[in-house]
Amino acid sequence: MRKILEDLYFGNIVPYEKRIAAGSELRHLVKRAADCEARLAEQLNDGEKQTLDTLISTQHKIDSTMAREYFILGFRLGVRLMTECMDEDDGELTDRG
């Protein structure tokens, strides 16, 4: 437990720096999206390309914000589950008697 706390303190735990596994479905989808973006950009004039770039940049910011918020919500849920597990209240059951 102490090692994890030290790693967290020193900034060694960085979950968002994971790489997409080669050959994975996600890798395939990312490549497909990039290919579609490149084909679409070839068909657009400069003003339209700027609009596309703005759209993509804005969507990345939305995705990043949502990922952060879902991470925080998931972490909080995990802590709540651990806290509940530490509760000695067994409801209507008792150890004796």
Side-chain angles (χ1 to χ4, degrees):
M1 177 65 118
R2 182 174 176 84
K3 171 103 172 81
I4 292 173
L5 294 175
E6 287 177 357
D7 283 344
L8 182 61
Y9 175 81
F10 288 114
N12 297 329
I13 298 175
V14 188
Y16 59 84
E17 288 187 348
K18 295 285 187 180
R19 304 251 188 264
I20 298 172
S24 69
E25 178 69 15
L26 181 56
R27 174 68 65 100
H28 171 73
L29 292 171
V30 168
K31 181 179 180 340
R32 188 167 141 194
D35 291 345
C36 288
E37 177 186 343
R39 284 195 310 271
L40 181 58
E42 289 173 0
Q43 300 172 25
L44 303 176
N45 65 38
D46 289 341
E48 294 166 334
K49 286 180 185 178
Q50 181 61 40
T51 301
L52 177 61
D53 288 342
T54 301
L55 171 65
I56 291 168
S57 175
T58 303
Q59 187 61 53
H60 286 177
K61 289 176 185 175
I62 291 168
D63 293 345
S64 176
T65 301
M66 293 300 293
R68 182 185 68 233
E69 294 301 316
Y70 284 137
F71 173 83
I72 291 168
L73 290 173
F75 191 88
R76 286 179 176 164
L77 176 59
V79 169
R80 285 186 189 117
L81 289 169
M82 294 305 300
T83 303
E84 184 76 17
C85 290
M86 301 303 291
D87 187 352
E88 297 289 329
D89 182 5
D90 288 330
E92 296 185 30
L93 301 176
T94 62
D95 289 334
R96 295 194 174 116

